[in-house]
Amino acid sequence: AAGEVSIGSFMVVLFVFLFAFLLSRECYQTKCRALSVLQEPRALMAEAEKDFITGLLNRKGLERAVQPLWDRCVKNGELVAIMLINIDDFRQYNERFGHVEGDVYVRHVADSIRRTVRGKAVTARVDGGNFFVFAGGMPKQELLELAESIRTNVERLQLPHAAWGMALTASIGIGAERAGEDSSFLRLYKSADTMLSQAKREGKNRVESNFRRGEKYHKIG
């Protein structure tokens, strides 16, 4: 009889242990599922903010990433700058060889820009062969050197531009100003766009800025 009681007690303890184990396991799995559900929208949001061809930020991601940096620069009165980067004659290349070949070039240029910037600034692909870099708190000389490094590294890719047998190049326009309460992101963007247009007029494959106009800046290469 004593043995039966002992076995019975053991079975009860075993049952309670198994029940507790299964319950804790279910709770753990439920918690994991809940965390997954919470993280999934974040992951989807992050993917929605990336350009699917290059992995750089798109317009939506750019807006989210730039805003806190812009606010900080306004608060501290730091220099804010926009670089607009355009692959020279990219439209003609697309028209002749198609968007599939064009996308290959875009990915190479995007990778080069990403490696050159290395977290120093916010980088995005706007559309086509157009890229955007936003820098806050960076001195003018450093801005020029970063832009020139981007331009030089694109040229050093030696991607053959089969339309006319030359290597692919990029032109860059920089708009910069000291941030303040009256600062305007749109005005800064227009300034960079004006400088990019000037770089194109002056012969392409060059850097132009609103604080160093009319001078082809070459420091590297």
Side-chain angles (χ1 to χ4, degrees):
E4 292 178 0
V5 172
S6 178
I7 293 174
S9 299
F10 174 76
M11 293 302 294
V12 169
V13 172
L14 180 61
F15 175 77
V16 171
F17 174 79
L18 288 174
F19 178 76
F21 172 76
L22 292 173
L23 181 62
S24 64
R25 187 168 181 269
E26 179 62 27
C27 288
Y28 174 76
Q29 290 177 338
T30 301
K31 186 176 181 180
C32 288
R33 285 194 294 269
L35 287 173
S36 177
V37 168
L38 289 173
Q39 291 171 354
E40 186 174 347
R42 295 177 187 175
L44 291 174
M45 183 181 296
E47 286 302 312
E49 292 180 348
K50 288 183 179 180
D51 173 60
F52 73 97
I53 292 177
T54 64
L56 296 177
L57 293 176
N58 56 22
R59 288 175 182 267
K60 183 178 179 181
L62 180 66
E63 182 179 347
R64 180 193 58 78
V66 164
Q67 190 61 56
L69 185 55
W70 176 273
D71 292 342
R72 188 206 74 193
C73 290
V74 169
K75 180 180 178 181
N76 299 329
E78 296 177 313
L79 195 71
V80 287
I82 290 176
M83 295 183 197
L84 294 182
I85 305 162
N86 177 263
I87 301 176
D88 293 325
D89 304 305
F90 185 69
R91 181 181 297 177
Q92 292 92 317
Y93 184 87
N94 263 347
E95 289 175 353
R96 180 166 178 177
F97 298 100
H99 291 280
V100 174
E101 290 295 324
D103 287 347
V104 173
Y105 274 33
V106 164
R107 280 192 289 270
H108 281 299
V109 173
D111 288 341
S112 177
I113 295 173
R114 184 188 291 109
R115 289 193 301 269
T116 305
V117 173
R118 291 178 184 172
K120 296 178 182 177
V122 178
T123 309
R125 181 191 179 213
V126 182
D127 55 40
N130 297 299
F131 300 87
F132 179 108
V133 173
F134 180 84
M138 189 179 293
K140 291 180 179 180
Q141 185 65 22
E142 192 174 339
L143 282 169
L144 287 168
E145 290 176 1
L146 178 60
E148 180 60 18
S149 293
I150 292 171
R151 185 205 66 78
T152 303
N153 289 339
V154 169
E155 187 175 30
R156 285 176 176 170
L157 290 173
Q158 289 297 302
L159 296 173
H161 206 316
W164 41 84
M166 296 185 298
L168 206 68
T169 59
S171 297
I172 303 174
I174 307 174
E177 66 177 51
R178 188 69 57 182
E181 294 299 331
D182 62 340
S183 295
S184 165
F185 186 88
L186 180 58
R187 183 175 68 238
L188 194 63
Y189 185 92
K190 287 181 177 179
S191 179
D193 189 53
T194 298
M195 291 299 97
L196 177 60
S197 296
Q198 181 172 322
K200 294 291 187 180
R201 289 194 303 270
E202 295 293 332
K204 306 173 185 176
N205 189 26
R206 59 188 292 134
V207 175
E208 294 286 348
S209 74
N210 64 345
F211 52 88
R212 199 165 184 167
R213 298 187 184 188
E215 180 179 343
K216 187 174 183 179
Y217 181 72
H218 278 296
K219 184 178 179 63
I220 302 171

